[in-house]
mmCIF file of all heavy atoms in Angstrom:
data_model
loop_
_atom_site.group_PDB
_atom_site.id
_atom_site.type_symbol
_atom_site.label_atom_id
_atom_site.label_comp_id
_atom_site.label_asym_id
_atom_site.label_seq_id
_atom_site.Cartn_x
_atom_site.Cartn_y
_atom_site.Cartn_z
ATOM 1 N N VAL A 301 122.787 99.845 126.057
ATOM 2 C CA VAL A 301 121.517 100.348 126.088
ATOM 3 C C VAL A 301 121.632 101.889 126.295
ATOM 4 O O VAL A 301 122.264 102.189 127.295
ATOM 5 C CB VAL A 301 120.427 99.724 127.001
ATOM 6 C CG1 VAL A 301 119.047 100.412 126.926
ATOM 7 C CG2 VAL A 301 120.385 98.276 126.818
ATOM 8 N N ILE A 302 121.013 102.707 125.466
ATOM 9 C CA ILE A 302 121.165 104.289 125.598
ATOM 10 C C ILE A 302 120.361 104.686 126.849
ATOM 11 O O ILE A 302 119.256 104.346 127.056
ATOM 12 C CB ILE A 302 120.705 104.917 124.335
ATOM 13 C CG1 ILE A 302 121.538 104.572 123.185
ATOM 14 C CG2 ILE A 302 120.654 106.427 124.507
ATOM 15 C CD1 ILE A 302 121.094 104.962 121.776
ATOM 16 N N GLY A 303 121.056 105.599 127.607
ATOM 17 C CA GLY A 303 120.280 106.196 128.789
ATOM 18 C C GLY A 303 119.786 107.468 128.643
ATOM 19 O O GLY A 303 120.077 108.158 127.579
ATOM 20 N N LEU A 304 118.928 107.866 129.575
ATOM 21 C CA LEU A 304 118.142 109.090 129.410
ATOM 22 C C LEU A 304 119.143 110.364 129.500
ATOM 23 O O LEU A 304 118.814 111.342 128.765
ATOM 24 C CB LEU A 304 117.230 109.327 130.578
ATOM 25 C CG LEU A 304 115.706 108.935 130.308
ATOM 26 C CD1 LEU A 304 114.961 109.121 131.628
ATOM 27 C CD2 LEU A 304 115.087 109.624 129.127
ATOM 28 N N ASN A 305 120.315 110.209 130.138
ATOM 29 C CA ASN A 305 121.250 111.281 130.161
ATOM 30 C C ASN A 305 121.869 111.776 128.742
ATOM 31 O O ASN A 305 122.507 112.797 128.763
ATOM 32 C CB ASN A 305 122.385 111.123 131.179
ATOM 33 C CG ASN A 305 121.789 111.153 132.646
ATOM 34 O OD1 ASN A 305 120.765 111.691 132.843
ATOM 35 N ND2 ASN A 305 122.434 110.428 133.511
ATOM 36 N N GLU A 306 121.549 110.980 127.743
ATOM 37 C CA GLU A 306 122.060 111.323 126.413
ATOM 38 C C GLU A 306 121.200 112.339 125.764
ATOM 39 O O GLU A 306 121.473 112.861 124.698
ATOM 40 C CB GLU A 306 122.036 110.040 125.479
ATOM 41 C CG GLU A 306 122.897 108.930 125.976
ATOM 42 C CD GLU A 306 124.369 109.158 125.951
ATOM 43 O OE1 GLU A 306 124.829 109.874 125.004
ATOM 44 O OE2 GLU A 306 125.191 108.646 126.691
ATOM 45 N N PHE A 307 120.030 112.556 126.311
ATOM 46 C CA PHE A 307 118.998 113.512 125.761
ATOM 47 C C PHE A 307 118.922 114.821 126.731
ATOM 48 O O PHE A 307 119.038 114.501 127.776
ATOM 49 C CB PHE A 307 117.571 112.891 125.640
ATOM 50 C CG PHE A 307 117.648 111.527 124.789
ATOM 51 C CD1 PHE A 307 117.903 110.287 125.428
ATOM 52 C CD2 PHE A 307 117.536 111.622 123.388
ATOM 53 C CE1 PHE A 307 117.921 109.163 124.662
ATOM 54 C CE2 PHE A 307 117.593 110.500 122.675
ATOM 55 C CZ PHE A 307 117.834 109.278 123.339
ATOM 56 N N PRO A 308 118.630 115.931 126.139
ATOM 57 C CA PRO A 308 118.306 117.093 126.930
ATOM 58 C C PRO A 308 117.145 116.764 127.826
ATOM 59 O O PRO A 308 116.133 116.263 127.354
ATOM 60 C CB PRO A 308 118.088 118.189 125.865
ATOM 61 C CG PRO A 308 118.353 117.652 124.545
ATOM 62 C CD PRO A 308 118.462 116.197 124.627
ATOM 63 N N GLU A 309 117.158 117.324 129.009
ATOM 64 C CA GLU A 309 116.173 116.988 130.032
ATOM 65 C C GLU A 309 114.840 117.450 129.532
ATOM 66 O O GLU A 309 113.742 116.826 129.939
ATOM 67 C CB GLU A 309 116.563 117.649 131.369
ATOM 68 C CG GLU A 309 115.771 116.760 132.491
ATOM 69 C CD GLU A 309 116.362 117.179 133.896
ATOM 70 O OE1 GLU A 309 117.493 117.630 133.997
ATOM 71 O OE2 GLU A 309 115.509 117.102 134.826
ATOM 72 N N GLU A 310 114.622 118.544 128.750
ATOM 73 C CA GLU A 310 113.435 119.045 128.294
ATOM 74 C C GLU A 310 112.753 118.041 127.267
ATOM 75 O O GLU A 310 111.696 118.200 126.959
ATOM 76 C CB GLU A 310 113.539 120.432 127.663
ATOM 77 C CG GLU A 310 114.301 120.613 126.567
ATOM 78 C CD GLU A 310 115.885 120.889 126.901
ATOM 79 O OE1 GLU A 310 116.306 120.732 127.906
ATOM 80 O OE2 GLU A 310 116.480 121.457 125.954
ATOM 81 N N LEU A 311 113.494 117.120 126.798
ATOM 82 C CA LEU A 311 112.966 116.147 125.884
ATOM 83 C C LEU A 311 112.811 114.796 126.440
ATOM 84 O O LEU A 311 112.441 113.773 125.881
ATOM 85 C CB LEU A 311 113.818 115.952 124.602
ATOM 86 C CG LEU A 311 114.162 117.233 123.689
ATOM 87 C CD1 LEU A 311 114.929 116.825 122.530
ATOM 88 C CD2 LEU A 311 112.809 117.718 123.260
ATOM 89 N N TRP A 312 112.779 114.724 127.921
ATOM 90 C CA TRP A 312 112.598 113.459 128.571
ATOM 91 C C TRP A 312 111.065 113.257 128.560
ATOM 92 O O TRP A 312 110.402 114.180 129.076
ATOM 93 C CB TRP A 312 113.127 113.452 130.015
ATOM 94 C CG TRP A 312 114.463 113.436 130.116
ATOM 95 C CD1 TRP A 312 115.574 113.434 129.177
ATOM 96 C CD2 TRP A 312 115.297 113.254 131.315
ATOM 97 N NE1 TRP A 312 116.875 113.343 129.586
ATOM 98 C CE2 TRP A 312 116.639 113.196 130.964
ATOM 99 C CE3 TRP A 312 114.978 112.989 132.717
ATOM 100 C CZ2 TRP A 312 117.677 112.997 131.943
ATOM 101 C CZ3 TRP A 312 115.928 112.849 133.637
ATOM 102 C CH2 TRP A 312 117.267 112.893 133.269
ATOM 103 N N PRO A 313 110.589 111.987 128.387
ATOM 104 C CA PRO A 313 109.175 111.796 128.714
ATOM 105 C C PRO A 313 109.034 111.751 130.174
ATOM 106 O O PRO A 313 109.975 111.540 130.960
ATOM 107 C CB PRO A 313 109.029 110.352 128.103
ATOM 108 C CG PRO A 313 110.199 110.061 127.205
ATOM 109 C CD PRO A 313 111.206 110.900 127.818
ATOM 110 N N PRO A 314 107.799 111.947 130.736
ATOM 111 C CA PRO A 314 107.550 111.858 132.114
ATOM 112 C C PRO A 314 107.886 110.502 132.709
ATOM 113 O O PRO A 314 107.596 109.455 132.091
ATOM 114 C CB PRO A 314 106.104 112.141 132.354
ATOM 115 C CG PRO A 314 105.552 112.765 130.954
ATOM 116 C CD PRO A 314 106.569 112.333 129.981
ATOM 117 N N LEU A 315 108.621 110.473 133.746
ATOM 118 C CA LEU A 315 109.161 109.314 134.332
ATOM 119 C C LEU A 315 108.246 108.399 134.956
ATOM 120 O O LEU A 315 108.436 107.125 135.102
ATOM 121 C CB LEU A 315 110.371 109.586 135.218
ATOM 122 C CG LEU A 315 111.466 110.362 134.636
ATOM 123 C CD1 LEU A 315 112.612 110.677 135.657
ATOM 124 C CD2 LEU A 315 112.135 109.494 133.501
ATOM 125 N N TYR A 316 107.032 108.891 135.249
ATOM 126 C CA TYR A 316 105.958 108.023 135.752
ATOM 127 C C TYR A 316 105.441 106.846 134.939
ATOM 128 O O TYR A 316 104.854 105.997 135.356
ATOM 129 C CB TYR A 316 104.795 108.781 136.396
ATOM 130 C CG TYR A 316 104.003 109.559 135.327
ATOM 131 C CD1 TYR A 316 102.980 108.809 134.485
ATOM 132 C CD2 TYR A 316 104.093 110.880 135.164
ATOM 133 C CE1 TYR A 316 102.338 109.648 133.587
ATOM 134 C CE2 TYR A 316 103.368 111.634 134.247
ATOM 135 C CZ TYR A 316 102.496 110.924 133.421
ATOM 136 O OH TYR A 316 101.695 111.581 132.491
ATOM 137 N N ILE A 317 105.859 106.945 133.617
ATOM 138 C CA ILE A 317 105.395 105.984 132.817
ATOM 139 C C ILE A 317 106.032 104.508 133.184
ATOM 140 O O ILE A 317 105.564 103.509 132.758
ATOM 141 C CB ILE A 317 105.825 106.164 131.195
ATOM 142 C CG1 ILE A 317 107.355 106.248 131.002
ATOM 143 C CG2 ILE A 317 105.040 107.381 130.776
ATOM 144 C CD1 ILE A 317 107.671 106.229 129.587
ATOM 145 N N HIS A 318 107.051 104.667 134.044
ATOM 146 C CA HIS A 318 107.767 103.312 134.499
ATOM 147 C C HIS A 318 106.549 102.493 135.252
ATOM 148 O O HIS A 318 106.564 101.251 134.901
ATOM 149 C CB HIS A 318 108.744 103.695 135.524
ATOM 150 C CG HIS A 318 109.287 102.590 136.314
ATOM 151 N ND1 HIS A 318 110.186 101.594 135.569
ATOM 152 C CD2 HIS A 318 109.196 102.080 137.598
ATOM 153 C CE1 HIS A 318 110.514 100.630 136.486
ATOM 154 N NE2 HIS A 318 109.987 100.925 137.729
ATOM 155 N N TYR A 319 105.748 103.092 135.965
ATOM 156 C CA TYR A 319 104.691 102.297 136.684
ATOM 157 C C TYR A 319 103.594 101.667 135.716
ATOM 158 O O TYR A 319 103.085 100.549 135.898
ATOM 159 C CB TYR A 319 103.971 103.187 137.768
ATOM 160 C CG TYR A 319 105.064 103.581 138.860
ATOM 161 C CD1 TYR A 319 105.339 104.936 139.042
ATOM 162 C CD2 TYR A 319 105.504 102.709 139.733
ATOM 163 C CE1 TYR A 319 106.265 105.280 140.090
ATOM 164 C CE2 TYR A 319 106.371 102.918 140.712
ATOM 165 C CZ TYR A 319 106.819 104.303 140.878
ATOM 166 O OH TYR A 319 107.584 104.667 141.911
ATOM 167 N N PHE A 320 103.386 102.584 134.710
ATOM 168 C CA PHE A 320 102.394 102.032 133.605
ATOM 169 C C PHE A 320 102.980 100.838 132.920
ATOM 170 O O PHE A 320 102.167 99.854 132.574
ATOM 171 C CB PHE A 320 101.827 103.075 132.788
ATOM 172 C CG PHE A 320 101.014 104.102 133.524
ATOM 173 C CD1 PHE A 320 101.407 105.343 133.958
ATOM 174 C CD2 PHE A 320 99.555 103.762 133.609
ATOM 175 C CE1 PHE A 320 100.667 106.220 134.542
ATOM 176 C CE2 PHE A 320 98.796 104.665 134.185
ATOM 177 C CZ PHE A 320 99.258 105.889 134.725
ATOM 178 N N PHE A 321 104.196 100.907 132.576
ATOM 179 C CA PHE A 321 104.912 99.872 132.000
ATOM 180 C C PHE A 321 104.940 98.651 132.782
ATOM 181 O O PHE A 321 104.507 97.557 132.244
ATOM 182 C CB PHE A 321 106.346 100.399 131.671
ATOM 183 C CG PHE A 321 107.229 99.354 130.851
ATOM 184 C CD1 PHE A 321 106.800 98.803 129.675
ATOM 185 C CD2 PHE A 321 108.466 99.013 131.346
ATOM 186 C CE1 PHE A 321 107.429 97.853 128.991
ATOM 187 C CE2 PHE A 321 109.165 98.029 130.648
ATOM 188 C CZ PHE A 321 108.798 97.521 129.495
ATOM 189 N N ASN A 322 105.195 98.858 133.999
ATOM 190 C CA ASN A 322 105.306 97.651 134.938
ATOM 191 C C ASN A 322 103.915 96.988 135.041
ATOM 192 O O ASN A 322 103.685 95.797 134.946
ATOM 193 C CB ASN A 322 105.782 98.029 136.286
ATOM 194 C CG ASN A 322 107.158 98.095 136.473
ATOM 195 O OD1 ASN A 322 107.692 98.350 137.579
ATOM 196 N ND2 ASN A 322 107.899 98.015 135.339
ATOM 197 N N LEU A 323 102.845 97.878 135.253
ATOM 198 C CA LEU A 323 101.414 97.303 135.424
ATOM 199 C C LEU A 323 101.122 96.577 134.150
ATOM 200 O O LEU A 323 100.451 95.476 134.195
ATOM 201 C CB LEU A 323 100.523 98.542 135.648
ATOM 202 C CG LEU A 323 99.078 98.255 135.931
ATOM 203 C CD1 LEU A 323 98.986 97.416 137.279
ATOM 204 C CD2 LEU A 323 98.336 99.467 136.082
ATOM 205 N N MET A 324 101.287 97.099 132.958
ATOM 206 C CA MET A 324 100.973 96.414 131.757
ATOM 207 C C MET A 324 101.566 95.027 131.670
ATOM 208 O O MET A 324 100.933 94.082 131.380
ATOM 209 C CB MET A 324 101.437 97.213 130.580
ATOM 210 C CG MET A 324 101.200 96.642 129.235
ATOM 211 S SD MET A 324 101.906 97.589 127.890
ATOM 212 C CE MET A 324 103.713 97.310 128.070
ATOM 213 N N VAL A 325 102.994 94.975 131.947
ATOM 214 C CA VAL A 325 103.633 93.677 131.784
ATOM 215 C C VAL A 325 103.226 92.684 132.941
ATOM 216 O O VAL A 325 102.973 91.560 132.556
ATOM 217 C CB VAL A 325 105.278 94.037 131.994
ATOM 218 C CG1 VAL A 325 105.918 92.650 132.055
ATOM 219 C CG2 VAL A 325 105.717 94.839 130.878
ATOM 220 N N PHE A 326 102.930 93.146 134.081
ATOM 221 C CA PHE A 326 102.523 92.257 135.113
ATOM 222 C C PHE A 326 101.145 91.669 134.885
ATOM 223 O O PHE A 326 100.957 90.424 134.989
ATOM 224 C CB PHE A 326 102.452 93.022 136.514
ATOM 225 C CG PHE A 326 103.737 92.887 137.265
ATOM 226 C CD1 PHE A 326 104.351 94.165 137.605
ATOM 227 C CD2 PHE A 326 104.290 91.755 137.583
ATOM 228 C CE1 PHE A 326 105.530 94.019 138.341
ATOM 229 C CE2 PHE A 326 105.427 91.725 138.334
ATOM 230 C CZ PHE A 326 106.219 92.865 138.654
ATOM 231 N N ILE A 327 100.250 92.384 134.449
ATOM 232 C CA ILE A 327 98.856 92.067 134.126
ATOM 233 C C ILE A 327 98.978 91.060 132.760
ATOM 234 O O ILE A 327 98.371 89.918 132.874
ATOM 235 C CB ILE A 327 97.982 93.060 133.780
ATOM 236 C CG1 ILE A 327 97.664 94.047 134.852
ATOM 237 C CG2 ILE A 327 96.530 92.410 133.270
ATOM 238 C CD1 ILE A 327 96.743 95.167 134.758
ATOM 239 N N GLY A 328 99.780 91.289 131.906
ATOM 240 C CA GLY A 328 100.033 90.454 130.611
ATOM 241 C C GLY A 328 100.508 89.110 131.183
ATOM 242 O O GLY A 328 100.043 87.992 130.662
ATOM 243 N N MET A 329 101.514 89.058 132.073
ATOM 244 C CA MET A 329 102.038 87.841 132.617
ATOM 245 C C MET A 329 100.948 86.988 133.300
ATOM 246 O O MET A 329 100.936 85.750 133.163
ATOM 247 C CB MET A 329 103.309 88.068 133.556
ATOM 248 C CG MET A 329 104.485 88.693 132.771
ATOM 249 S SD MET A 329 105.055 87.439 131.634
ATOM 250 C CE MET A 329 106.479 88.420 130.971
ATOM 251 N N PHE A 330 100.273 87.777 134.180
ATOM 252 C CA PHE A 330 99.116 87.049 135.002
ATOM 253 C C PHE A 330 98.264 86.471 134.030
ATOM 254 O O PHE A 330 97.746 85.334 134.341
ATOM 255 C CB PHE A 330 98.471 88.084 135.819
ATOM 256 C CG PHE A 330 97.288 87.651 136.553
ATOM 257 C CD1 PHE A 330 97.343 86.849 137.625
ATOM 258 C CD2 PHE A 330 95.937 87.888 136.096
ATOM 259 C CE1 PHE A 330 96.238 86.345 138.412
ATOM 260 C CE2 PHE A 330 94.836 87.531 136.781
ATOM 261 C CZ PHE A 330 94.933 86.628 137.814
ATOM 262 N N LEU A 331 97.720 87.157 133.003
ATOM 263 C CA LEU A 331 96.713 86.566 132.138
ATOM 264 C C LEU A 331 97.254 85.399 131.334
ATOM 265 O O LEU A 331 96.621 84.304 131.147
ATOM 266 C CB LEU A 331 96.322 87.668 131.024
ATOM 267 C CG LEU A 331 95.656 88.866 131.709
ATOM 268 C CD1 LEU A 331 95.390 89.924 130.536
ATOM 269 C CD2 LEU A 331 94.400 88.505 132.349
ATOM 270 N N ALA A 332 98.596 85.550 131.011
ATOM 271 C CA ALA A 332 99.140 84.254 130.366
ATOM 272 C C ALA A 332 99.275 83.083 131.285
ATOM 273 O O ALA A 332 98.878 81.906 130.941
ATOM 274 C CB ALA A 332 100.517 84.605 129.857
ATOM 275 N N ALA A 333 99.498 83.315 132.595
ATOM 276 C CA ALA A 333 99.556 82.378 133.658
ATOM 277 C C ALA A 333 98.191 81.687 133.887
ATOM 278 O O ALA A 333 98.089 80.479 134.003
ATOM 279 C CB ALA A 333 100.195 82.967 134.833
ATOM 280 N N VAL A 334 97.135 82.486 133.921
ATOM 281 C CA VAL A 334 95.768 82.017 134.189
ATOM 282 C C VAL A 334 95.411 81.087 133.039
ATOM 283 O O VAL A 334 94.882 79.928 133.345
ATOM 284 C CB VAL A 334 94.803 83.153 134.308
ATOM 285 C CG1 VAL A 334 93.334 82.564 134.370
ATOM 286 C CG2 VAL A 334 95.026 83.962 135.562
ATOM 287 N N SER A 335 95.593 81.429 131.818
ATOM 288 C CA SER A 335 95.167 80.519 130.683
ATOM 289 C C SER A 335 95.997 79.294 130.693
ATOM 290 O O SER A 335 95.465 78.268 130.349
ATOM 291 C CB SER A 335 95.220 81.413 129.387
ATOM 292 O OG SER A 335 96.465 81.990 129.230
ATOM 293 N N PHE A 336 97.326 79.418 130.966
ATOM 294 C CA PHE A 336 98.163 78.301 131.088
ATOM 295 C C PHE A 336 97.721 77.267 132.141
ATOM 296 O O PHE A 336 97.676 76.074 131.877
ATOM 297 C CB PHE A 336 99.628 78.795 131.220
ATOM 298 C CG PHE A 336 100.639 77.729 131.058
ATOM 299 C CD1 PHE A 336 100.808 77.135 129.840
ATOM 300 C CD2 PHE A 336 101.425 77.305 132.226
ATOM 301 C CE1 PHE A 336 101.757 76.094 129.714
ATOM 302 C CE2 PHE A 336 102.363 76.274 132.097
ATOM 303 C CZ PHE A 336 102.513 75.604 130.881
ATOM 304 N N ILE A 337 97.409 77.911 133.280
ATOM 305 C CA ILE A 337 96.963 76.999 134.357
ATOM 306 C C ILE A 337 95.684 76.250 134.067
ATOM 307 O O ILE A 337 95.498 75.068 134.375
ATOM 308 C CB ILE A 337 96.751 77.871 135.655
ATOM 309 C CG1 ILE A 337 98.136 78.300 136.196
ATOM 310 C CG2 ILE A 337 96.174 77.054 136.794
ATOM 311 C CD1 ILE A 337 98.156 79.400 137.240
ATOM 312 N N TYR A 338 94.754 77.007 133.460
ATOM 313 C CA TYR A 338 93.527 76.534 132.967
ATOM 314 C C TYR A 338 93.720 75.181 132.214
ATOM 315 O O TYR A 338 93.148 74.046 132.397
ATOM 316 C CB TYR A 338 92.642 77.437 132.161
ATOM 317 C CG TYR A 338 91.396 76.761 131.573
ATOM 318 C CD1 TYR A 338 90.267 76.677 132.307
ATOM 319 C CD2 TYR A 338 91.594 76.333 130.257
ATOM 320 C CE1 TYR A 338 89.092 76.060 131.630
ATOM 321 C CE2 TYR A 338 90.400 75.663 129.715
ATOM 322 C CZ TYR A 338 89.266 75.667 130.294
ATOM 323 O OH TYR A 338 88.064 74.952 129.789
ATOM 324 N N PHE A 339 94.656 75.169 131.192
ATOM 325 C CA PHE A 339 94.813 74.023 130.364
ATOM 326 C C PHE A 339 95.551 72.986 131.032
ATOM 327 O O PHE A 339 95.385 71.763 130.670
ATOM 328 C CB PHE A 339 95.437 74.539 129.013
ATOM 329 C CG PHE A 339 94.521 75.138 128.094
ATOM 330 C CD1 PHE A 339 94.375 76.559 127.902
ATOM 331 C CD2 PHE A 339 93.633 74.299 127.442
ATOM 332 C CE1 PHE A 339 93.466 77.007 127.029
ATOM 333 C CE2 PHE A 339 92.584 74.841 126.573
ATOM 334 C CZ PHE A 339 92.524 76.251 126.505
ATOM 335 N N ILE A 340 96.444 73.301 131.981
ATOM 336 C CA ILE A 340 97.177 72.275 132.791
ATOM 337 C C ILE A 340 96.046 71.559 133.535
ATOM 338 O O ILE A 340 95.985 70.244 133.580
ATOM 339 C CB ILE A 340 98.205 72.915 133.714
ATOM 340 C CG1 ILE A 340 99.372 73.494 132.957
ATOM 341 C CG2 ILE A 340 98.623 71.864 134.782
ATOM 342 C CD1 ILE A 340 100.456 73.920 133.790
ATOM 343 N N CYS A 341 95.130 72.266 134.154
ATOM 344 C CA CYS A 341 94.068 71.678 134.960
ATOM 345 C C CYS A 341 93.165 70.687 133.990
ATOM 346 O O CYS A 341 92.660 69.735 134.370
ATOM 347 C CB CYS A 341 93.207 72.700 135.691
ATOM 348 S SG CYS A 341 94.122 73.610 136.942
#
Side-chain angles (χ1 to χ4, degrees):
Chain A
V301 181
I302 297 171
L304 266 180
N305 289 338
E306 302 290 328
F307 302 91
E309 205 169 330
E310 63 272 18
L311 296 183
W312 288 11
L315 298 177
Y316 63 78
I317 62 168
H318 174 70
Y319 294 115
F320 287 100
F321 181 53
N322 279 187
L323 187 62
M324 174 187 71
V325 174
F326 271 120
I327 294 174
M329 293 295 181
F330 171 79
L331 300 176
V334 170
S335 48
F336 189 65
I337 292 167
Y338 170 84
F339 282 102
I340 288 179
C341 292

